């Protein structure tokens, strides 16, 4: 089975091509550039370099969020278009789950995180058991201070991983002390090959019903709901 995976959910642009258990090709950049202009040329370039045509693909996998609202939308839209056009299955994978997969050899809990501003983070708790990544706590949007308090009761080492660790490291250490372990920068970038391997075995999505998982509403949506609530109170 040949699987094409793409991740545009954050600054990372990741594209990979796998066949069964073999990683054929992988493209990763960590740049503050417009994904909408770069992702299709990146896909085309990787497939060409790997001597693979779109018609040879058996499945599309996409990082479905959380992350940047715009970035997640771009990836999901392109993945749905490719899957529909090629008439092949589509699977979505949590962007946090894909990042957690980088810590395959850590013996303990894994807490991937993305900054969500104002002290908030997107995060979840994962663990490898018998070489399979399991979700311990579902993805959520929470204050880093509260997240550290919640994890304290695990009484186990917890590996924090992600580009935004430095923004929340003080709060994490204050809440967890020596329980907190921090991944090296070489593991900060989610690997699109891990995304592909995770998505290969996930259930197929309904292409037309499949939507991003933002975990929280966009700020514009929140403000709109607040405005509507005020009007209803009048």
């Amino acid at each position: 089975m040949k699987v094409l995976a793409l991740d545009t959910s954050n600054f990372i642009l990741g594209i990979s091509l796998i066949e069964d258990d073999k990683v054929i090709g992988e493209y990763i950049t960590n740049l503050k550039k417009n994904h909408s202009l770069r992702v299709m040329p990146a896909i085309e370039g990787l497939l060409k370099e790997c001597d693979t045509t779109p018609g040879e693909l058996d499945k599309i996998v996409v990082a479905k969020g959380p992350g940047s609202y715009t970035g997640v939308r771009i990836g999901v839209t392109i993945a749905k278009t490719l899957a529909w056009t090629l008439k092949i299955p589509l699977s979505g994978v949590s962007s946090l789950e894909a990042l957690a997969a980088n810590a395959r050899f850590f013996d303990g809990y894994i807490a991937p995180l993305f900054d969500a501003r104002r002290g908030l983070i997107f995060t979840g708790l994962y663990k490898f058991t018998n070489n399979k990544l399991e979700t311990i706590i579902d993805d959520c949007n929470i204050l880093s201070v509260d997240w550290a308090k919640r994890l304290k009761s695990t009484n186990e080492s917890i590996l924090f991983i992600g580009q935004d660790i430095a923004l929340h490291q003080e709060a994490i250490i204050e809440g967890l002390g020596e329980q907190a372990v921090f991944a090296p920068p070489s593991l900060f970038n989610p690997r699109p090959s891990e995304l592909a391997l995770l998505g290969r075995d996930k259930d197929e999505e309904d292409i037309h019903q499949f939507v991003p998982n933002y975990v929280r509403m966009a700020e514009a949506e929140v403000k709109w709901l607040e405005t509507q609530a005020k009007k209803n109170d009048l």
Side-chain angles (χ1 to χ4, degrees):
M1 173 183 279
K2 281 190 176 181
V3 177
L4 178 73
L6 59 146
D7 184 355
T8 63
S9 57
N10 287 285
F11 284 148
I12 306 299
L13 170 61
I15 312 291
S16 71
L17 178 68
I18 68 168
E19 184 170 13
D20 299 323
D21 291 328
K22 180 182 179 182
V23 179
I24 302 174
E26 190 170 32
Y27 173 86
I28 308 173
T29 61
N30 182 16
L31 303 169
K32 194 174 182 180
K33 289 187 175 183
N34 192 331
H35 288 330
S36 63
L37 300 177
R38 302 173 61 232
V39 63
M40 286 307 296
I43 291 172
E44 183 180 8
L46 181 66
L47 291 178
K48 183 177 180 181
E49 185 69 20
C50 296
D51 297 320
T52 300
T53 65
E56 295 178 83
L57 298 175
D58 299 300
K59 191 175 192 180
I60 303 294
V61 173
V62 64
K64 63 180 181 179
S68 157
Y69 294 112
T70 302
V72 173
R73 281 198 300 270
I74 290 169
V76 168
T77 300
I78 290 174
K80 289 174 66 171
T81 302
L82 287 172
W84 182 80
T85 303
L86 298 171
K87 295 179 172 58
I88 57 177
L90 167 70
S91 288
V93 177
S94 160
S95 305
L96 290 164
E97 183 181 359
L99 178 55
N102 282 4
R104 181 177 299 276
F105 300 107
F106 181 74
D107 185 20
Y109 290 119
I110 306 162
L113 67 83
F114 305 135
D115 180 57
R117 300 181 182 178
R118 299 172 184 158
L120 290 162
I121 55 175
F122 294 118
T123 189
L125 195 66
Y126 296 85
K127 188 173 185 178
F128 275 99
T129 304
N130 297 323
N131 204 36
K132 183 179 180 181
L133 188 60
E134 296 183 350
T135 302
I136 307 301
I137 299 177
D138 289 337
D139 295 350
C140 56
N141 182 219
I142 188 172
L143 288 167
S144 54
V145 173
D146 293 338
W147 183 235
K149 291 177 181 177
R150 184 176 179 182
L151 297 181
K152 185 68 177 176
S153 61
T154 63
N155 295 317
E156 287 196 35
S157 295
I158 300 168
L159 180 72
F160 291 86
I161 184 170
Q163 294 280 352
D164 301 323
I165 283 176
L167 299 174
H168 303 277
Q169 190 165 354
E170 184 176 343
I172 291 169
I173 292 174
E174 184 176 343
L176 287 170
E178 294 183 356
Q179 277 182 255
V181 181
F182 297 96
S186 59
L187 297 181
F188 285 177
N189 293 353
R191 296 287 300 275
S193 55
E194 291 285 5
L195 174 67
L197 292 166
L198 287 168
R200 177 193 61 188
D201 301 322
K202 288 191 181 291
D203 293 337
E204 178 182 350
E205 302 279 359
D206 181 324
I207 294 176
H208 299 294
Q209 298 298 320
F210 179 56
V211 294
N213 179 22
Y214 296 122
V215 175
R216 70 176 183 187
M217 290 185 292
E219 189 171 351
E221 293 176 293
V222 173
K223 289 182 178 179
W224 183 85
L225 288 173
E226 289 175 348
T227 301
Q228 297 307 306
K230 290 177 181 178
K231 287 181 180 179
N232 292 334
D233 289 337
L234 295 178

